[in-house]
Amino acid sequence: NIYIPCDILVVAIGQNIETKHFEDAGISVNRGKIVTKSNGSIDNLPGVFAGGDCASGPASVIKAAISLIPFR
């Protein structure tokens, strides 16, 4: 066993989504991501939002680490 002391441990696995059922429901998908406006809303579906890996695609550990900066 190896013990590495640290203050923060970031687990960033990044997930692809199954898009077929979204496409079948008429939700626009591009390159494995749900197409959203900048606020996460979806055209022609008022009150429906997508976020995370569904809207941005799998994120790298770099993006995950950057997202933690406000919590330093």
Side-chain angles (χ1 to χ4, degrees):
N1 294 336
I2 298 173
Y3 175 78
I4 301 173
C6 64
D7 294 325
I8 297 174
L9 175 65
V10 177
V11 178
I13 57 175
Q15 296 288 307
N16 288 319
I17 63 168
E18 296 292 331
T19 59
K20 185 174 180 343
H21 57 280
F22 293 112
E23 293 172 289
D24 290 347
I27 296 173
S28 295
V29 174
N30 183 23
R31 298 179 66 196
K33 301 178 286 186
I34 295 173
V35 177
T36 65
K37 296 178 185 175
S38 61
N39 68 353
S41 64
I42 299 171
D43 279 334
N44 303 319
L45 291 171
V48 177
F49 297 83
D53 290 344
C54 291
S56 65
S60 69
V61 71
I62 301 299
K63 286 184 180 178
I66 289 170
S67 71
L68 293 174
I69 289 174
F71 302 103
R72 289 182 65 206

